[in-house]
Amino acid sequence: MDSNTSRAKRATLQPLRAAGRQRVEELLVAASDVMAERGYEATTMAEIAARAGAKIGSLYRFFPNKEAVADALVQRHIAILEDEYAALAKRAATLSPDALADILIELLVTLHPRVKSLSALMEARTDKMEIRDRARGHAIAGIAAALRVCAPGLDEMLAKDVAAVVLNTMKALRGMLAKDAPTTPSAPDELRRMNRLYLSDRLAPFRNI
């Protein structure tokens, strides 16, 4: 069996020591940066190792191939999003609808540096619809949870409906600021205002039930 076949069949190594976990984190950050810049298909294992300042053997020690790196990145990105939404839900009881609206609409902008390769990964993979559905499902559930903490009388189904609207507003702001969507200098502030008015209107009736 040649070395390429051996690597392809080997499972991703899960390091037990702190130093190993730190090295994996550095490799994944480098992989995310390169894939966001060049796309998944154009990225090579050699580029990832070089960006991380690691030897290629170190990368292959933890990941048998680029697909394994991509799998780990998808899991990492979704975990980051889940953690942020969970933290927001814990704070939501102390927030007004306006304050919650402002935090939510900026969240994808704030998190983008940490999950920047997720779009590239979704576009390139054969299971991209599954990944997209997982990411959207986690986002809607996380936003809905925060909404229901802020407005305890809000029922679960309506919370998900409102969360889906808010998620699209979050994506719109991200697109405007990245110049990937039609915009003007003042349009992002108008979108923020619209989001505040929408959430205040939808949550206010359920705040003191």
Side-chain angles (χ1 to χ4, degrees):
M1 182 181 296
D2 63 33
S3 59
N4 289 334
T5 302
S6 177
R7 280 199 296 261
K9 292 186 175 183
R10 180 170 59 79
T12 298
L13 177 64
Q14 302 294 333
L16 299 177
R17 296 185 177 182
R21 292 193 295 271
Q22 177 62 32
R23 171 52 73 187
V24 167
E25 177 67 13
E26 292 167 355
L27 292 168
L28 289 176
V29 169
S32 183
D33 289 345
V34 176
M35 289 181 188
E37 293 168 11
R38 293 176 47 74
Y40 174 76
E41 294 296 342
T43 296
T44 66
M45 294 288 273
E47 286 177 304
I48 294 171
R51 182 67 62 93
K55 295 181 179 179
I56 189 69
S58 177
L59 178 58
Y60 276 118
R61 176 179 173 231
F62 295 107
F63 301 101
N65 49 47
K66 189 169 70 171
E67 290 75 16
V69 176
D71 287 341
L73 273 178
V74 169
Q75 294 174 17
R76 178 179 183 271
H77 290 342
I78 290 178
I80 287 171
L81 294 171
E82 286 180 331
D83 289 347
E84 289 294 327
Y85 288 124
L88 180 57
K90 290 181 179 179
R91 296 176 53 201
T94 66
L95 299 173
S96 67
D98 280 359
L100 181 59
D102 287 343
I103 292 171
L104 281 169
I105 199 170
E106 302 288 347
L107 195 56
L108 290 185
V109 176
T110 303
L111 288 178
H112 180 258
R114 298 171 62 197
V115 298
K116 64 177 70 174
S117 64
L118 187 55
S119 294
L121 288 166
M122 287 194 295
E123 289 304 316
R125 290 169 61 100
T126 57
D127 59 348
K128 63 182 178 182
M129 295 306 296
E130 178 186 346
I131 296 171
R132 183 177 288 117
D133 288 347
R134 282 174 58 200
R136 287 175 178 171
H138 286 299
I140 289 174
I143 295 168
L147 297 177
R148 296 188 73 199
V149 172
C150 184
L154 191 66
D155 71 68
E156 184 176 359
M157 193 62 247
L158 180 55
K160 288 182 178 179
D161 291 340
V162 175
V165 174
V166 172
L167 179 59
N168 279 286
T169 307
M170 293 160 65
K171 290 180 177 179
L173 181 66
R174 166 84 185 90
M176 285 180 174
L177 296 179
K179 302 298 190 291
D180 292 332
T183 190
T184 63
S186 297
D189 285 338
E190 291 299 308
L191 188 65
R192 293 181 180 102
R193 182 171 184 271
M194 183 186 77
N195 191 55
R196 285 188 213 107
L197 292 170
Y198 172 69
L199 267 193
S200 291
D201 176 71
R202 298 307 284 142
L203 298 188
F206 306 101
R207 291 269 286 166
N208 299 311
I209 294 177

